[in-house]
Amino acid sequence: MKLNDILSGQFNAAPWEAKGYELPKFDIAKVREKTAKEPTWVHFGGGNIFRAFPAAILNDALNTGKYDRGVIVAETFDFEVIDKAYAPYNNLSLLVSLQSSGTIEKKVIASVTEALKADYQFNDWNRLVEIFKTPSLQMISFTITEKGYSYNEADLQRGLTPVFAMGKVAALLYERFKAGEVPLTVQSMDNCSHNGDKVKAGVFAYAERWVSDGLVPASFVDYLKDEKKITFPWSMIDKITPRPHEKVKELLAADGFEDNNYIETEKHTFTAPFVNAEEVQYLVIEDNYTNGRPPLHLGGALYTTRNTVDQVETMKVTTCLNPLHTAMSIYGCMLGYTLISAEMADEDLRSFIQKIGYMEAMPVVTDPGVLNPYEFIGAVINRRLPNPFMPDAPQRIAMDTSQKLPIRFGETIKKYIARGLDMSNLILIPLTLAGYARYLKGVKDDGTSFEPSPDPLLSELQAIVAPLEIGKQDQDYSCLRQLYSRKDVFGLDLYEAGLGEQIEGMVRELFAGNGAVRKTLHKYVTAR
């Protein structure tokens, strides 16, 4: 069983279907021919998340028979991905959905019609220019990670042949401008807040520099600013796509599926002909398109307003997912856990995050309408976090915690204050913040040491709690005021918010000695 067999005129689907493989229901050759002539969508970033999500929902849309165009992928950074994960398999891939039950679902993805290297050194660049000049092109999109939207002075000085992704996109948009100022939507699908603004800032940095350097006319910037021609919508994307999993490889091999080799490029991209991902996924997109759009709603994407996208994002990062992750990471590290899924079997920790979400954060959530907050948390707690295929670790999630606390917890506390809500309802969120002082000591609950995860403020914050000793009676905790009054770490002065003394009391309990973390956690979780 090989992916390229599917394109063979002698292909026999029966053995694949007998082993549970879902095959494309559309004519792959016709879709590729139609897309080559009249492309509608170019996606930048050929990594695992693209194949597991945007390409997969387009595959679902094609399976309905209501659409006839695929997606062209363009890689801006790691060109080996094209050579090793796309070209040998004629742009086909296998999506393996990892179920919380411990089973897998297997689907062949055939929606990618071309895979190009987005760089001037390759002939593919000429093909990209040709595509960008085509009136049928409706959308370009991105999963290049937040750092992919960056730019620097050296690249701005390179003129119309930049190296960074945003410069290349600006250069291609200039080609579309010269072809008659044809409309287009520039759509980020990266997991970062207000992501459309990040694309816009990057593109405008290059365009405005080129205008000031006399390389392009000022009307090019006018074209980019005209929202009847070019738009930069926001989106919220959520789906965990880990590296190819050894257990998945073994399961596929047992089926007789042979395209299961691991690929690691020189730039340390980890991929494979298959991509494994969690079953739960969300893609909420601001419906602001200038030249039509691919019908991704046929595959489950939700189109809505910018304000609703913002509400969904806020719901996710301040209530339904991110705060739960952070609470688990702080206490998981102290209790010696190395897997989030294992933490979910701990009744104290499971109840801890359930009550933070449902009882303490939920009262200030704005229901965005398109996604129910209660159902979102339910999926997180019952299907996503316990998933045995997800090798996510509290140590990874605990990275940069000082940068996350203001949004993940500070915003909830601010809303309690702004709405005049009863602050006594907050018990487990203060316990999370109290746990951070104990976490900074780098000592597990059993007294052994651990290395706190990288954080730009780690050494500075550790110095604040350095006078405190675990197990020492009657010590001076006054240093905590220096920590919990920091608005840059918590989003507000927790003493001014009326929570400082409560948190101090919890810290005293957590510092009582070995076993104090478990004892204190259990006490407040059961009391809540």
Side-chain angles (χ1 to χ4, degrees), residues 321 325 328 340-341 344 353 379-381 383-387:
L321 176 60
H325 255 160
M328 292 185 78
I340 290 293
S341 57
M344 290 303 291
I353 65 166
V380 168
I381 292 173
R383 296 166 63 193
R384 304 182 72 180
L385 298 180
N387 194 319

Side-chain angles (χ1 to χ4, degrees), residues 85-300:
Y86 283 87
Y89 310 100
N90 277 295
N91 303 324
L92 299 175
S93 62
L94 181 71
L95 170 59
V96 181
S97 293
L98 310 174
Q99 310 293 302
S100 55
S101 62
T103 60
I104 63 174
E105 292 181 355
K106 299 157 287 192
K107 180 188 296 186
V108 174
I109 305 301
S111 56
V112 178
T113 61
E114 293 179 69
L116 306 172
K117 301 174 185 177
D119 196 82
Y120 312 96
Q121 63 181 305
F122 304 111
N123 290 332
D124 288 354
W125 184 260
N126 295 327
R127 172 61 178 150
L128 276 170
V129 170
E130 177 186 6
I131 293 167
F132 267 72
K133 290 181 177 180
T134 306
S136 61
L137 186 64
Q138 299 174 329
M139 175 176 77
I140 61 172
S141 58
F142 307 84
T143 50
I144 56 177
T145 74
E146 188 166 1
K147 64 184 178 183
Y149 300 105
S150 62
Y151 52 91
N152 61 29
E153 180 63 25
D155 206 46
L156 292 171
Q157 291 178 356
R158 290 178 60 89
L160 298 178
T161 56
V163 173
F164 286 18
M166 289 296 97
K168 295 174 183 179
V169 170
L172 289 166
L173 287 171
Y174 182 52
E175 296 292 342
R176 192 164 181 82
F177 163 77
K178 291 190 294 181
E181 300 189 24
V182 192
L184 187 67
T185 290
V186 183
Q187 176 71 69
S188 173
M189 295 181 181
D190 268 301
N191 184 22
C192 48
S193 183
H194 302 172
N195 48 21
D197 291 347
K198 299 184 187 304
V199 188
K200 186 175 183 178
V203 167
F204 271 82
Y206 286 91
E208 290 172 347
R209 179 60 172 266
W210 295 342
V211 168
S212 66
D213 289 348
L215 299 175
V216 302
S219 52
F220 175 48
V221 171
D222 295 336
Y223 165 67
L224 296 177
K225 288 180 178 179
D226 186 346
E227 293 192 358
K228 293 181 180 179
K229 296 177 180 177
I230 303 294
T231 53
F232 300 86
W234 295 358
S235 71
M236 190 287 289
I237 188 168
D238 186 20
K239 186 179 182 73
I240 298 173
T241 309
R243 293 177 182 179
H245 199 291
E246 180 64 35
K247 185 177 180 181
V248 173
K249 179 178 178 179
E250 293 171 358
L251 291 169
L252 296 178
D255 285 341
F257 182 79
E258 297 181 40
D259 292 333
N260 55 18
N261 55 300
Y262 289 147
I263 300 166
E264 181 182 358
T265 68
E266 290 185 4
K267 292 184 176 179
H268 303 296
T269 298
F270 295 88
T271 186
F274 68 90
V275 54
N276 43 233
E278 68 169 333
E279 59 184 305
V280 180
Q281 59 187 30
Y282 305 96
L283 180 58
V284 184
I285 305 173
E286 177 190 350
D287 195 359
N288 186 14
Y289 288 76
T290 58
N291 197 33
R293 55 171 167 76
L296 297 186
H297 62 282
L298 296 176

Side-chain angles (χ1 to χ4, degrees), residues 463-474:
I464 294 175
V465 299
L468 300 179
E469 298 180 34
I470 296 169
K472 183 179 179 181
Q473 302 299 314
D474 301 322

Side-chain angles (χ1 to χ4, degrees), residues 432-445:
T432 302
L433 304 181
Y436 189 50
R438 177 68 165 72
Y439 166 89
L440 290 169
K441 296 298 292 185
V443 179
K444 297 179 187 176
D445 200 28

